[in-house]
Amino acid sequence: MNNITLIEAVNQALAYEMQHDQDVVLLGEDIGINGGVFRATVDLQQQFGDQRVIDTPLAETLIAGMAIGMATQGLKPIAEFQFMGFIYSALDNILNHASRLRNRTRGRLTCPMVIRAPYGGGIRAPEHHSESTEALFAHIPGIRVVIPSSPSRAYGLLLAAIRDPDPVLFLEPKRIYRLQKEDVENNGQALPLDVCYLLREGNDITLVSWGAMLYETLQAAEQLAEQGIYAEVIDLATIKPIDMSTILSSVEKTGRCVIIHEAARTGGVGAEIAAQLAETGLTYLLAPVQRVTGYDTVMPLFRLENHYIPDVSRIINAARTALEYA
Amino acid sequence: MSESITYYQILNHQSRIIDESDDYQVDNQTLLDFYQQMLLTRSFDQKAISLQRTGRLGTYASSLGQEAIGTALGNAMQGQDVLIPTYREYGAQLARGVKMNSLLLYWGGDERGMAFEGGAVECMQDMPICVPIGTQTCHAVGIAYAMKLRQEKRVAVCVLGDGATSKGDFYEAVNAAGVWQLPIVFVIANNQWAISLPRDMQSSAPSLAQKAWAGGIPGEQVDGNDVLACYERFHKAIQQARDRQGPRVIEALTFRLSDHTTADDASRYREDSLVEKQWQYDPIKRLKNYLLTEQVISVQQLEVLQSQCNDEVNHAVNEYLSTPAMAATSMFDHLYAELPTTMQIQRDEIERRINAKPGGSR
């Protein structure tokens, strides 16, 4: 059992799968000798060689396109984008090719690839290094979008993403890369995709979140509990496709729901969850669904980022608003 | 690195062999095969356009005038190689065993076209037609990387147009191919037109082949209407790549005799006289005149060949026209390896709608 951080869990999962599956290759910028700017791939090139842990030229379109080509040949490429802010030149390949290759060849060719990218704010990073744009990708048919929120889920979900026969965008909340440690057994055990994870049980209100925001969400749940309000906390984990049945069961029990995400509000993944609650769970609801999110502004540079990223008090206020309805 | 780009030609447009170098030998049967395959491509092309004009095919991109490139490529490649095409390489696809019916299905709005159903085993790893310009170049790098990693004697053959050379994708691909010395050949089918944009407005580079130099790999030009030169240069480059002698860019100079697609009207941006003048370089006529002059074939035999091509095309058209559309629910069938349970609701929705309608999905 290793007591490790989220970023170490990513490294552990990558190493495990490279050890056990010769088809797994890593590619990206500075991932080899440098071990990645966040050290996600540290020591892997030494262990598995520069043919399988590939330092690419500085070319994001190439990285995405190449991974697609590799996948069609039966490799399982894992491409690292250094920051989510630099993934957009790969969007053409993700949307036009990776996501639809299986469909447009009726399964003749497939695309078992993973794209990893650190995302989100809170580490006082430069411009373009702090955005949360998971909703852009959640809109794309044919891919999965997965976000871990703890070391053990990072390990289990990344293994699942690598083994999945379809393309997976694996977004890593870099604010919590080293925030907490957890015991993670390096046993190669994957966790299921396409399902939510129940992190805390409660009967009074449902809090749905993902990624780094679960850190504040769990704190909010703790403070609410001190006030005698018992919140159920759900980690969405797979952003696309969304496991609504877990959320609906919880809301059926609590009647109230707050969705917390760092990304901008309009068209965010929270909007989709709220819409589906309205479509199929309206009769369960005792109060309007509340959203605690980033604003529909450009993500500010780091002096103001803590005003943008939802904090514990905003979550508690939203929960209190939902609880005011009789 | 060479300071100039070499231009290769074997059969000039007066149908005379101008290259008699020792290593150049093509037997009569090969010449006839090339001729027949180019003719087949053109017969297919003409039929596809007439199907579109009569409402039985969707928008179609013609390969008129570019038949030599496709035919030469299809013959220069080996079965285990992988073709990464754009959307005018029917000659190469047919030579590699893709059925005409598949190509018709694709342009006829049916995803099964790129499944290559019933096609030869050789084409099964080939990439599907690529519509977003130049994106296939980076896929080709990944394919070639996989081949090299596994130490296979295979080559990735990537085709792109003149317009695609203006895109970053192409530069990123050429650059990476050079860094890793991958078994890859890029063939630029330079037909002088990217829809309405002529070659001289695409780039001020004297040749597109020299863009290879920026990636540290060799580039050359070949007469793209000369099937013999195309075959020889493609074959040589592919063999060199197979023998681990590195990647290469070949710019094949041709001319788009058709509109960009059936949805385009080229008379809006280029003079008909310009196109008419280009017919003198027609690759099929060029080889035909040579075959007749050298008495490899008679006029009567040529007519037989043409009628064989027509029969083959008509057979494919019948097959295509008698293929019923897929069930509406099929749009869910290959979205993922297994449809996520959360999406089953949407599939059920379409199924319910079909069942509620008399006559079902069509």
Side-chain angles (χ1 to χ4, degrees):
Chain A
M1 197 75 82
N2 301 323
N3 193 248
I4 54 176
T5 62
L6 195 153
I7 188 77
E8 288 165 342
V10 167
N11 181 272
Q12 186 169 288
L14 293 173
Y16 183 93
E17 210 59 4
M18 290 203 79
Q19 185 73 53
H20 290 84
D21 187 345
Q22 288 298 308
D23 288 331
V24 175
V25 294
L26 310 186
L27 64 157
E29 296 159 2
D30 309 303
I31 68 162
I33 190 159
N34 192 40
V37 294
F38 285 101
R39 309 289 177 258
T41 52
V42 78
D43 290 339
L44 296 181
Q45 192 177 63
Q46 286 92 318
Q47 219 175 323
F48 301 104
D50 59 6
Q51 300 292 299
R52 288 180 69 202
V53 181
I54 308 156
D55 272 322
T56 67
L58 208 164
E60 283 87 7
T61 302
L62 170 80
I63 294 170
M66 215 182 136
I68 291 166
M70 289 172 149
T72 66
Q73 286 294 308
L75 292 179
K76 292 176 189 164
I78 305 169
E80 175 175 301
F81 283 79
Q82 206 156 71
F83 288 88
M84 199 182 189
F86 309 137
I87 207 171
Y88 307 110
S89 53
L91 193 55
D92 190 2
N93 269 307
I94 296 170
L95 205 158
N96 277 325
H97 295 294
S99 70
R100 52 194 289 160
L101 192 63
R102 176 188 292 280
N103 185 67
R104 65 194 296 266
T105 61
R106 309 316 281 163
R108 180 173 64 82
L109 297 174
T110 61
C111 217
M113 61 187 268
V114 176
I115 287 179
R116 296 180 38 246
Y119 86 107
I123 64 159
R124 301 174 64 81
E127 195 176 7
H128 305 291
H129 288 64
S130 299
E131 285 71 13
S132 301
T133 53
E134 69 272 18
L136 291 179
F137 296 89
H139 194 67
I140 303 173
I143 67 168
R144 283 185 166 78
V145 182
V146 176
I147 300 179
S149 65
S150 72
S152 60
R153 276 187 297 285
Y155 180 77
L157 291 173
L158 182 53
L159 286 175
I162 301 168
R163 293 170 195 172
D164 192 86
D166 291 304
V168 178
L169 180 63
F170 193 81
L171 297 175
E172 297 164 7
K174 60 179 174 289
R175 182 157 62 91
I176 59 168
Y177 259 161
R178 297 185 170 83
L179 200 64
Q180 52 200 163
K181 288 191 172 189
E182 212 177 359
D183 287 336
V184 182
E185 200 180 333
N186 192 13
N187 57 5
Q189 196 75 47
L191 286 170
L193 301 175
D194 301 356
V195 294
C196 298
Y197 290 82
L198 196 63
L199 302 190
R200 184 181 174 115
E201 287 189 63
N203 291 320
D204 298 330
I205 189 162
T206 302
L207 308 180
V208 180
S209 190
W210 52 93
M213 283 317 304
L214 274 161
Y215 185 72
E216 283 76 19
T217 302
L218 284 166
Q219 284 181 12
E222 189 60 39
Q223 290 184 25
L224 286 166
E226 285 163 13
Q227 299 160 27
I229 299 157
Y230 297 99
E232 187 138 298
V233 177
I234 292 174
D235 177 3
L236 193 63
T238 300
I239 305 308
K240 162 94 177 189
I242 296 174
D243 164 24
M244 275 308 292
S245 65
T246 301
I247 297 171
L248 280 163
S249 314
S250 176
V251 174
E252 186 176 12
K253 180 173 68 177
T254 63
R256 300 167 210 272
C257 183
V258 181
I259 303 158
I260 303 103
H261 61 67
E262 194 172 311
R265 186 170 309 165
T266 299
V269 175
E272 178 59 31
I273 297 169
Q276 291 206 42
L277 280 171
E279 280 173 346
T280 48
L282 192 63
T283 54
Y284 306 150
L285 286 169
L286 303 170
V289 173
Q290 304 293 308
R291 281 186 288 166
V292 182
T293 69
Y295 301 104
D296 288 347
T297 63
V298 172
M299 175 79 186
L301 296 186
F302 63 81
R303 280 186 166 191
L304 296 183
E305 70 179 342
N306 289 338
H307 291 282
Y308 180 94
I309 301 169
D311 60 13
V312 176
S313 68
R314 281 174 66 192
I315 301 168
I316 289 177
N317 286 344
R320 291 218 156 273
T321 303
L323 287 156
E324 275 167 17
Y325 290 80
Chain B
M1 191 70 64
S2 157
E3 287 298 314
S4 65
I5 290 289
T6 309
Y7 174 77
Y8 293 92
Q9 192 181 47
I10 292 173
L11 187 66
N12 74 7
H13 78 277
Q14 280 97 15
S15 298
R16 276 199 293 274
I17 298 267
I18 59 162
D19 181 331
E20 296 279 12
S21 57
D22 290 345
D23 60 346
Y24 176 68
Q25 280 185 343
V26 178
D27 60 47
N28 285 349
Q29 189 53 51
T30 307
L31 292 175
L32 282 174
D33 287 347
F34 287 175
Y35 181 75
Q36 184 160 16
Q37 288 175 36
M38 288 197 291
L39 198 62
L40 186 65
T41 311
R42 184 163 296 180
S43 308
F44 168 78
D45 205 76
Q46 285 166 340
K47 192 70 185 184
I49 289 168
S50 81
L51 286 172
Q52 190 280 332
R53 298 294 185 224
T54 51
R56 292 176 293 173
L57 197 74
T59 298
Y60 171 77
S62 165
S63 67
L64 188 66
Q66 301 178 217
E67 295 87 350
I69 297 170
T71 293
L73 262 181
N75 287 279
M77 291 173 70
Q78 292 185 3
Q80 75 272 24
D81 298 336
V82 172
L83 177 68
I84 303 102
T86 167
Y87 47 77
R88 291 188 214 276
E89 288 73 47
Y90 311 122
Q93 290 175 312
L94 294 175
R96 290 181 58 72
V98 176
K99 287 182 71 185
M100 269 180 203
N101 182 33
S102 295
L103 300 174
L104 291 170
L105 279 170
Y106 177 73
W107 294 110
D110 192 317
E111 280 84 356
R112 286 173 297 183
M114 290 298 109
F116 295 169
E117 210 172 285
V121 64
E122 287 81 2
C123 66
M124 286 304 163
Q125 289 192 27
D126 287 355
M127 291 296 274
I129 281 173
C130 183
V131 173
I133 300 303
T135 50
Q136 76 278 14
T137 55
C138 293
H139 308 161
V141 170
I143 290 167
Y145 193 98
M147 292 166 170
K148 190 182 182 198
L149 179 70
R150 291 168 166 160
Q151 300 178 318
E152 296 167 337
K153 287 257 172 196
R154 303 166 70 205
V155 181
V157 178
C158 179
V159 189
L160 59 146
D162 39 310
T165 64
S166 296
K167 290 200 66 172
D169 301 52
F170 172 62
Y171 172 70
E172 293 189 23
V174 165
N175 184 60
V179 169
W180 293 312
Q181 288 296 295
L182 297 177
I184 186 167
V185 176
F186 296 99
V187 173
I188 304 166
N190 174 5
N191 68 13
Q192 314 299 329
W193 293 90
I195 305 190
S196 66
L197 203 76
R199 163 64 183 84
D200 62 351
M201 289 177 74
Q202 196 65 248
S203 172
S204 71
S207 77
L208 300 178
Q210 73 195 65
K211 294 193 175 195
W213 295 347
I217 71 177
E220 64 181 51
Q221 286 183 321
V222 64
D223 181 345
N225 289 3
D226 173 359
V227 70
L228 304 184
C230 281
Y231 172 76
E232 198 199 51
R233 297 315 301 174
F234 297 163
H235 186 260
K236 187 163 191 180
I238 291 168
Q239 280 311 119
Q240 283 178 342
R242 199 185 309 288
D243 295 339
R244 296 285 172 267
Q245 292 173 49
R248 183 173 289 263
V249 172
I250 301 177
E251 178 188 5
L253 294 156
T254 183
F255 192 91
R256 197 191 80 208
L257 292 171
S258 64
D259 294 335
H260 164 66
T261 65
T262 52
D264 176 45
D265 173 9
S267 70
R268 292 174 59 84
Y269 51 81
R270 67 181 190 187
E271 297 291 333
D272 286 348
S273 59
L274 187 70
V275 181
E276 278 154 27
K277 220 181 294 171
Q278 287 292 329
W279 273 97
Q280 67 179 305
Y281 305 110
D282 175 12
I284 296 184
K285 192 177 74 185
R286 188 185 303 193
L287 185 58
K288 180 169 85 175
N289 289 343
Y290 177 78
L291 294 174
L292 287 170
T293 311
E294 297 294 313
Q295 296 181 318
V296 179
I297 196 165
S298 66
V299 174
Q300 290 77 9
Q301 286 168 307
L302 281 176
E303 280 165 13
V304 173
L305 279 187
Q306 180 65 65
S307 107
Q308 283 172 352
C309 288
N310 293 347
D311 289 349
E312 193 173 338
V313 171
N314 288 333
H315 179 78
V317 169
N318 289 337
E319 205 180 342
Y320 158 64
L321 292 174
S322 61
T323 306
M326 292 187 285
T329 50
S330 71
M331 68 179 85
F332 291 90
D333 289 351
H334 294 284
L335 192 58
Y336 298 92
E338 201 179 326
L339 191 66
T341 45
T342 53
M343 286 196 63
Q344 191 63 38
I345 300 162
Q346 295 183 21
R347 191 184 184 281
D348 292 347
E349 193 180 307
I350 201 166
E351 196 153 42
R352 265 199 315 278
R353 238 162 37 86
I354 294 158
N355 292 340
K357 245 190 289 185
S361 66
R362 291 178 271 288

